[in-house]
Amino acid sequence: MKTEYKTKTRMAIIDYLKSNPDTRFTARDILKAVNRDGSNLDRSTVYRNLERLCREGKLVKYKETDINAACYQYSEDHGSCHDHMHAQCSECGKIFHLDNAILDDTAKKMKKEYGLEIDYGKTVIIGVCEECKQLNEKNK
Amino acid sequence: MKTEYKTKTRMAIIDYLKSNPDTRFTARDILKAVNRDGSNLDRSTVYRNLERLCREGKLVKYKETDINAACYQYSEDHGSCHDHMHAQCSECGKIFHLDNAILDDTAKKMKKEYGLEIDYGKTVIIGVCEECKQLNEKNK
DNA sequence: TTGCGTGCAAAGGTTTTGCATGGCA
DNA sequence: TGCCATGCAAAACCTTTGCACGCAA
């Protein structure tokens, strides 16, 4: 069994996560944010830490069609994100943790009509959130 | 308005799509397949054509967490893919084109409980299809 | 002291872009 | 003849890997 070290670098990364919950970010975002204060964090370290956090289930990794980099998302309150569904605003990237029951009706139809058994942990419903909708109205 | 030319190259790419419907493939797959017969298709041309086909809604583009390249999927029967929802089998990658009505109930709840307006064209429900499910049973 | 974590450098892969040329209409 | 599409080369990215050194335990 490997012992885990509590290094300054890792703490800096985790700090970033904690101050940016339920939002999408890339490896690059972390790198820039942490180094803004003069640190010398390296890309490879970011990737290695992110990979580990994902393996531990503390972080969700996913890819967006229009962004050419993996996105990650951290959540304090929702324990393992593998067991429930998510929705995401296509404009600001904000993630909502859903009650699976919201899909009950759809799940039944899916099974009957297409033979597909929904994987709640992997499904992400895309839409536009209230905030962005109002912002769009204003800017018209 | 731009005039579209019907070039040999584009036809070769479209031929590939038509002979590989409802299957996931990458830009690299097309490149290799088309050049197998001695053609000299270039990467950039592949990307430019795929981008255009996506824009026209004839092709679905998406990314998988574990594959380090964009995946595409072509379907003969479903017109523009921007207006309806999709579901995808997480094991074989097959894409199902859904009737949006299947989400009616869920959409209402989403709007009421989370203020989120669903974007049907971008949403992909993930699950395991009938075929893969049976295959899994067998291999147990 | 031990051995995990980090920074550095380099490499591998995908995707994009500028430019001159070729080919469709 | 126009002008779109292609091939080529190069560049921009993202991500991974090997290695020596530094630092936590």
Side-chain angles (χ1 to χ4, degrees), chain B residues 18-106:
Chain B
K18 295 204 171 174
S19 48
N20 293 279
D22 300 314
T23 316
R24 77 180 138 196
F25 55 84
T26 64
R28 189 190 178 75
D29 291 335
I30 294 196
L31 196 62
K32 285 204 291 191
V34 172
N35 284 341
R36 191 162 299 142
D37 67 11
S39 302
N40 192 31
L41 177 55
D42 188 73
R43 285 177 291 188
S44 59
T45 304
V46 175
Y47 283 110
R48 285 192 267 235
N49 275 286
L50 290 180
E51 197 231 323
R52 180 205 204 120
L53 288 160
C54 285
R55 221 174 29 221
E56 292 168 348
K58 291 172 188 158
L59 205 54
V60 183
K61 177 182 182 180
Y62 58 94
K63 297 201 177 168
E64 310 240 335
T65 305
D66 49 337
I67 298 182
N68 188 23
C71 291
Y72 300 84
Q73 197 152 150
Y74 173 79
S75 169
E76 300 236 85
D77 327 311
H78 295 87
S80 170
C81 282
H82 297 320
D83 57 8
H84 62 265
M85 254 194 357
H86 298 91
Q88 182 179 29
C89 175
S90 58
E91 305 201 2
C92 67
K94 181 173 180 185
I95 286 184
F96 298 80
H97 302 258
L98 308 180
D99 180 351
N100 287 344
I102 207 172
L103 219 72
D104 276 353
D105 184 68
T106 303

Side-chain angles (χ1 to χ4, degrees), chain A residues 24 63-69 90, chain B residues 61 63 122:
Chain A
R24 78 182 141 197
K63 296 199 180 174
E64 309 238 336
T65 304
D66 48 337
I67 297 182
N68 189 21
S90 58
Chain B
K61 177 182 182 180
K63 297 201 177 168
K122 290 184 183 161

